[in-house]
């Protein structure tokens, strides 16, 4: 089966149509990471000029001249399990050409199909992760009351409280990304985790919104309370970045803003909603 380096339009069309589509496999994610020390390469198997399997690899130089880290996140994708061997051979060859010391794979969630036999493919489980090791996945295909009923009592109560507190929840414009990045810095300081520079979030917004991402803000009497940047691919939406301010935290704005993002995902026809890292605030570490 021929192996190609697909163009961005051809590759994104393949990702968008795949049942396991994920934002981290879009070419825009490679562009974003390319501005911050990574290099992206896409490898695809084709049949009759149509991509049938493939993955986006990110590379980052290791210290001490140890070569490169090759990383495949939330992919790759096949249309037939019989393609796994040929696809990994192609990805492995690409990584070796780059001088990769090793290839790290985080396949993501298999919600509608059984996962591949990772051990049989030669991979070993690593204690080090690139993406958050814990996520919370919600089935949002039901009506709102049934979605809430599946949550624990405390979360359900906080969401309902947040919707009664005269908080304004709205989809933000590009000009308002700075309000979110300010809260992101506050959240990182308060919870002692690293965050990206403000320009990173603005670039992510510019690359993905409005087709594949949206930013939601929660405000009360002009005070910013919380925000979430949510991405969508296929039938799943991912809450990759979330933040809250230090004011009026008793109003539970961080819960309500996630609920607003869930409504956006439902309107797009998403079946699943994936909260990365800390459920109400935080971010992917990549």
């Amino acid at each position: 089966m021929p192996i190609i380096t697909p163009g961005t339009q051809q590759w994104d069309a393949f990702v968008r149509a795949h049942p396991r589509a994920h934002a981290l496999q879009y070419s825009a994610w490679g562009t974003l990471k390319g501005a911050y020390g990574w290099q992206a390469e896409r490898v695809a198997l084709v049949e009759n000029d149509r991509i049938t399997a493939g993955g986006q690899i990110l590379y980052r130089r290791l210290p001490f001249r140890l070569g490169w880290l090759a990383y495949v996140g939330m992919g790759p994708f096949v249309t037939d399990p019989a393609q796994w061997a040929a696809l990994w051979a192609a990805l492995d060859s690409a990584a070796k050409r780059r001088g990769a010391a090793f290839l790290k794979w985080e396949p993501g969630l298999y919600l509608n199909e059984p996962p591949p036999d990772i051990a049989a493919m030669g991979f070993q489980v690593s204690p080090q992760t690139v993406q958050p090791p814990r996520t919370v996945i919600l089935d949002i295909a039901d009506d709102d009351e049934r979605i809430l009923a599946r949550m624990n009592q405390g979360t359900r109560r906080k969401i309902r409280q947040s919707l009664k507190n005269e908080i304004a929840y709205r989809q933000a414009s590009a000009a308002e990304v700075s309000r979110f990045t300010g809260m992101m810095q506050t959240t990182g300081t308060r919870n002692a985790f690293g965050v990206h520079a403000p320009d990173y979030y603005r670039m992510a917004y510019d690359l993905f919104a409005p087709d594949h991402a949206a930013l939601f803000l929660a405000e009360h009497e002009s005070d910013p309370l919380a925000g979430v940047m949510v991405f969508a691919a296929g039938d799943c939406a991912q809450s990759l970045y979330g933040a809250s301010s230090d004011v009026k935290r008793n109003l539970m704005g961080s819960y309500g803003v996630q609920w607003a993002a869930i409504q956006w995902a439902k309107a797009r026809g998403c079946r699943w909603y994936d909260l990365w890292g800390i459920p109400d605030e935080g971010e992917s570490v990549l």
Side-chain angles (χ1 to χ4, degrees), residues 19 65 67 88 102 120 142 144 157 209 224 231 258 261 268 275 284:
R65 298 183 179 181
W88 277 119
F102 59 91
D142 273 331
D144 290 350
R157 182 182 67 252
F231 297 73
Q258 288 284 5
R268 291 179 59 94
L275 290 91
S284 156

Side-chain angles (χ1 to χ4, degrees), residues 1-6 10 44-53 83:
M1 189 173 293
I3 302 169
I4 67 167
T5 301
Q10 184 184 18
L45 308 183
V46 296
E47 185 175 351
N48 298 324
D49 297 324
R50 182 177 64 89
I51 297 177
T52 59
Q83 297 168 328

Side-chain angles (χ1 to χ4, degrees), residues 36 43 147 216:
Y36 291 88
V43 178
I147 296 171
F216 287 89

Side-chain angles (χ1 to χ4, degrees), residues 133-147:
R134 293 184 305 126
T135 70
V136 177
I137 184 77
L138 304 177
D139 184 345
I140 59 173
D142 273 331
D143 61 67
D144 290 350
E145 286 304 313
R146 289 183 179 179
I147 296 171

